[in-house]
Amino acid sequence: RCQAVIFDLDGVLTDTAHTHYQAWKRLADEIGVPFDHQINERLKGVDRMSSLEIILERSQRQYSTAEKQQLAARKNQYYVSAISQFGPDDLFPGVAKLLRDLRQAGIRIGLASASRNAPLLLQRLGIAAAFDHVADPAAVAFPKPAPDIFLAAAQALAVPAEACIGVEDAVAGIQAIKRAGMAAIGIGEPAQLVDADRVLATIADFDIHQLIAF
Ligand code: G6P
Ligand code: MG
């Protein structure tokens, strides 16, 4: 029986893919590196420095580690100022009700986001208090598709992995959930999220009654 649901944040609870895109695009334009929506797809669920490495694949010149850190910090400034404008209206439809229903059903709620900005974003969205635990991506050894962050969340919630459901929109995230030994619900396209146990078009399709039997 399901005792906990562990959510990804970006692309599952709110649409930040475009916000990340705009911040990376501004940086890419500034340093003269081509960047488009197709490359942006590869950044979903991928941590900040790995995202930068993907963008710099098209760069004419090499950057030192210190320079890369500065570039990533600059992109993050753009991103933080954008999400600082977010509010509860930026939640995907159905999220606030889903979190309330899970709490009422006694199911523990965790967050397993690769984003260092997750606590700020949860606060802006008005759902920080809904989570029993927010896993710290800086505290785990390996990023998604490694299972580490989902396992860290389950451990903090004191729920065995096999009683957890993970919810993800990225291929790397679904892999992380499966490697953690959890049931995986994908949000997006079944053709893309092939390893998921079930794929929903949007988080609004998440049926808590089906889930408890999952
Ligand atoms: C999520 C997003 C990625 C983003 C990553 C790190 O996984 O899907 O696009 O790169 O978080 O976000 P951060 O806020 O730490 O730069
Ligand atoms: Mg995501």
Side-chain angles (χ1 to χ4, degrees):
R1 188 191 174 276
C2 165
Q3 295 171 32
V5 178
I6 302 174
F7 292 96
D8 173 46
L9 174 56
D10 297 283
V12 169
L13 304 179
T14 183
D15 182 16
T16 41
H18 190 66
T19 317
H20 277 294
Y21 170 80
Q22 285 175 317
W24 283 124
K25 177 71 178 152
R26 182 168 165 191
L27 180 78
D29 287 351
E30 284 168 356
I31 61 172
V33 174
F35 180 60
D36 57 25
H37 281 96
Q38 207 177 331
I39 303 171
N40 193 53
E41 279 304 303
R42 291 174 57 202
L43 309 185
K44 288 187 180 173
V46 173
D47 66 63
R48 196 181 306 164
M49 287 312 282
S50 309
S51 298
L52 178 65
E53 294 293 349
I54 291 171
I55 286 166
L56 293 181
E57 283 171 10
R58 306 256 181 125
S59 171
Q60 305 281 14
R61 80 165 182 89
Q62 300 285 324
Y63 290 90
S64 68
T65 305
E67 286 173 321
K68 285 179 188 171
Q69 258 147 15
Q70 278 171 8
L71 293 177
R74 209 201 294 174
K75 178 268 175 177
N76 194 53
Q77 277 176 13
Y78 303 152
Y79 181 71
V80 167
S81 70
I83 61 169
S84 299
Q85 309 300 314
F86 271 45
D89 287 350
D90 292 296
L91 280 174
F92 279 138
V95 170
K97 181 179 187 316
L98 173 61
L99 293 171
R100 280 197 303 271
D101 289 351
L102 289 171
R103 163 119 358 227
Q104 207 159 35
I107 293 171
R108 311 267 285 155
I109 303 172
L111 193 86
S113 169
S115 174
R116 308 288 208 265
N117 296 301
L120 168 66
L121 190 52
L122 290 182
Q123 233 156 35
R124 297 305 311 161
L125 294 168
I127 54 170
F131 288 82
D132 295 301
H133 183 74
V134 176
D136 178 3
V140 299
F142 297 104
K144 302 169 191 178
D148 301 35
I149 194 158
F150 281 95
L151 291 173
Q155 197 173 23
L157 294 171
V159 174
E162 57 275 16
C164 292
I165 293 178
V167 189
E168 263 284 357
D169 67 313
V171 173
I174 296 289
Q175 285 171 340
I177 295 169
K178 294 315 296 176
R179 289 182 198 174
M182 301 175 184
I185 294 189
I187 305 293
E189 297 287 332
Q192 192 156 11
L193 305 175
V194 286
D195 294 332
D197 295 294
R198 196 169 299 180
V199 178
L200 310 173
T202 73
I203 193 82
D205 300 320
F206 196 106
D207 180 346
I208 175 168
H209 303 292
Q210 263 183 11
L211 167 102
I212 292 172
F214 207 54

